[in-house]
Amino acid sequence: ALIARKGRFDPATSEREFKIAASDYVTTVLLVPLLGAIAPIAPSVKLNIALPYSDTNKSMADGELDMFLGPESFTHPDHPSELVFEERHVVVGWSGNPHMDGEMSAKLLSELGHVGVSISGSDTFIDAWMRETNIERRIEVRAPSFLQAPFLVLETNRVCVMHERLAQSLAGRLPLRIAELPFAVPPMREMLQFHATRAKDPGLTWLRNQIKSLASLS
């Protein structure tokens, strides 16, 4: 911590590599735009991005990660975190799916086949919330990431419950339709977490500010 506070960071000349754990969803909606934003001002700064895994919290505690980006429920209780943005969930289906033509009801949503997502064998935010509120879905296909899920509803009558930002991004590239969920789901709080000893690390502080500034524009 003492070394980090005394160090200097010049984004224009730094060749530092930041190790970040983030889902494919966060990478797509936040880190991809971030790379474009910082390229002119930090041309040699590198991001080493890994998917969250079962020992992400341990890696954070051991100082092996510079940053974790993920839902608040997955953050480490002993280290500081900052809200990046809040995310809604929506229903996504193929544009040729007749069940996406009208309003999505709770009954219809429970009857349709679903593409579910399991990252490193763990429940996602929406899976955990639905289980806790006793809302049942018929999962017919299980995908390892949210980025793959929309492709798996194409040419079928299946649907996927997923993040609105990612759904909107992909709907401009794929034949998809988006519907509102028929019940209220609390917003997912997407957090930025770092090791307590790195709170005054000038390089990490710079990157945190870049991410929060970009998120505030979305």
Side-chain angles (χ1 to χ4, degrees), residues 44-174:
S44 297
V45 165
K46 306 173 186 65
L47 301 187
N48 184 342
I49 306 167
L51 288 172
Y53 44 95
S54 58
D55 286 339
T56 295
N57 273 347
K58 183 178 184 301
S59 295
M60 173 64 65
D62 292 345
E64 296 172 3
L65 291 172
D66 290 300
M67 184 185 301
F68 166 64
L69 291 164
E72 188 171 32
S73 56
F74 296 118
T75 56
H76 195 293
D78 298 332
H79 296 282
S81 59
E82 303 167 333
L83 178 65
V84 180
F85 58 74
E86 292 187 337
E87 180 66 282
R88 297 174 68 245
H89 281 75
V90 295
V91 183
V92 173
W94 175 46
S95 59
N97 181 346
H99 302 295
M100 296 297 294
D101 290 342
E103 184 175 337
M104 182 64 62
S105 67
K107 181 176 183 295
L108 177 59
L109 189 66
S110 67
E111 292 173 349
L112 291 172
H114 284 248
V115 174
V117 175
S118 181
I119 300 174
S120 299
S122 300
D123 276 351
T124 62
F125 171 89
I126 194 65
D127 276 335
W129 183 85
M130 286 188 165
R131 186 182 64 254
E132 292 166 2
T133 50
N134 296 315
I135 296 176
E136 296 184 0
R137 292 184 295 167
R138 193 172 77 248
I139 304 293
E140 294 182 346
V141 179
R142 182 69 70 174
S145 76
F146 278 106
L147 197 58
Q148 295 176 346
F151 290 89
L152 297 173
V153 305
L154 298 180
E155 305 290 337
T156 78
N157 287 341
R158 297 188 183 97
V159 295
C160 177
V161 179
M162 62 184 298
H163 318 87
E164 185 178 31
R165 280 177 174 81
L166 183 58
Q168 293 286 1
S169 174
L170 294 176
R173 311 173 193 181
L174 298 172

Side-chain angles (χ1 to χ4, degrees), residues 9-15 38 41-45 206:
F9 179 81
D10 179 3
T13 59
S14 176
E15 296 182 357
I38 67 174
I41 58 175
S44 297
V45 165
W206 172 83

Side-chain angles (χ1 to χ4, degrees), residues 30-42 47 210 214:
L30 187 59
L31 297 184
V32 169
L34 174 72
L35 287 169
I38 67 174
I41 58 175
L47 301 187
Q210 295 295 318
L214 184 65

